Amino acid sequence: MIEGVRIRDLVVHTDDRGTVSEIFDPRWNWHPEPMVFCYYYTIRPGWTKGWGMHKIHEDRYCLMQGEMKIVLYDPRPESSTFGQFSEIYLSHQRRQLFSIPAGVWHADENIGPNDVLVVNFPTIQYDHSSPDKYRLPLDTDLIPYKFHNTRGY
Ligand SMILES: Cc1cn([C@H]2C[C@H](O)[C@@H](COP(=O)(O)OP(=O)(O)O[C@H]3O[C@@H](C)C(=O)[C@@H](O)[C@H]3O)O2)c(=O)[nH]c1=O
C-alpha cells in the first residue's frame, strides 16, 4: 500500500427500522486532522475521475454507494513507495474510510452498474479561486498505468 494511506472499516448498526453508521470521530485517532469541510461527488457507470493530485491536502473518502477502483501512483521521491502503484477496491458492501496523502496521483473508476457516491472530507476547505487540484489526462505517458473500458477526466 502507498505510504501514508489510511483505511478504516465502518461499523453499521442495523435493526428492524434501518441502519446507523458513524463516518468520522476524532476519538478514533484514524487521522490527525479535524473535519473542516465536506462534500460528496458521484461518478457515472463507465466513467473515471482522474488523474488528480493535491499538493497541500489529503482526501478522506467514505464511499456510500456503488463499487469503485481507486488507482494510486506515488511520485514522491522521499516516499518508501516512490514510483509504485496501488489498486484499491471500495464497495458499499464493506464501507470504509480511505485517505489519500497529498502529492499522490489518484484516479477513481466506477466499476459497477450504478452511480458511485462518495462523501469526501478533505483536510482543507475548497478554495474556489485557486483549488489545490492538479490534473493529468487518463492516458498520460507520465503515469505508466493503462485503463481499459472507461473514459474520464
Ligand atoms: C471539489 C469541489 C469542486 N467544486 C466545483 C468545481 C467545479 O465547478 C465542479 C467540479 O469540480 P472538479 O472537476 O474538481 O470535481 P471532481 O473532479 O469531482 O473533484 C473531485 O474528484 C474526486 C475524484 C477527488 O479525488 C476529489 O479530490 C475532487 O478532486 O465542482 C466545488 O464547488 N467544491 C468542491 O469542493
Side-chain angles (χ1 to χ4, degrees):
M1 179 55 76
I2 299 298
E3 181 183 289
V5 169
R6 301 167 188 257
I7 303 177
R8 188 186 198 275
D9 280 322
L10 295 183
V11 174
V12 181
H13 302 281
T14 303
D15 63 31
D16 293 335
R17 301 161 301 154
T19 62
V20 171
S21 185
E22 295 178 348
I23 290 181
F24 182 80
D25 185 340
R27 294 169 295 183
W28 296 342
N29 295 315
W30 170 69
H31 194 282
E33 300 193 41
M35 172 90 79
V36 292
F37 181 73
C38 188
Y39 66 91
Y40 74 84
Y41 67 87
T42 64
I43 306 176
R44 301 186 202 285
W47 283 84
T48 295
K49 286 194 168 182
W51 296 96
M53 188 267 283
H54 314 295
K55 289 187 178 176
I56 61 173
H57 79 265
E58 293 191 43
D59 277 331
R60 296 182 293 190
Y61 291 171
C62 177
L63 181 139
M64 302 306 296
Q65 183 57 45
E67 297 162 302
M68 182 166 86
K69 175 172 78 172
I70 304 173
V71 185
L72 303 179
Y73 173 66
D74 189 354
R76 303 170 295 177
E78 74 284 358
S79 166
S80 62
T81 53
F82 170 64
Q84 294 182 26
F85 288 95
S86 287
E87 290 178 315
I88 302 94
Y89 294 85
L90 297 183
S91 168
H92 61 275
Q93 305 278 8
R94 179 185 177 189
R95 289 201 179 97
Q96 295 171 298
L97 294 183
F98 185 84
S99 74
I100 302 174
V104 172
W105 287 100
H106 47 285
D108 299 359
E109 180 182 0
N110 185 341
I111 57 172
N114 305 302
D115 279 12
V116 155
L117 172 63
V118 175
V119 172
N120 189 15
F121 45 101
T123 52
I124 62 171
Q125 291 145 18
Y126 187 76
D127 180 342
H128 290 258
S129 61
S130 175
D132 173 32
K133 174 141 186 185
Y134 301 83
R135 300 173 190 264
L136 283 172
L138 272 187
D139 61 356
T140 180
D141 293 335
L142 297 175
I143 300 178
Y145 184 89
K146 293 300 170 226
F147 286 92
H148 306 288
N149 306 319
T150 189
R151 51 182 169 164
Y153 51 88

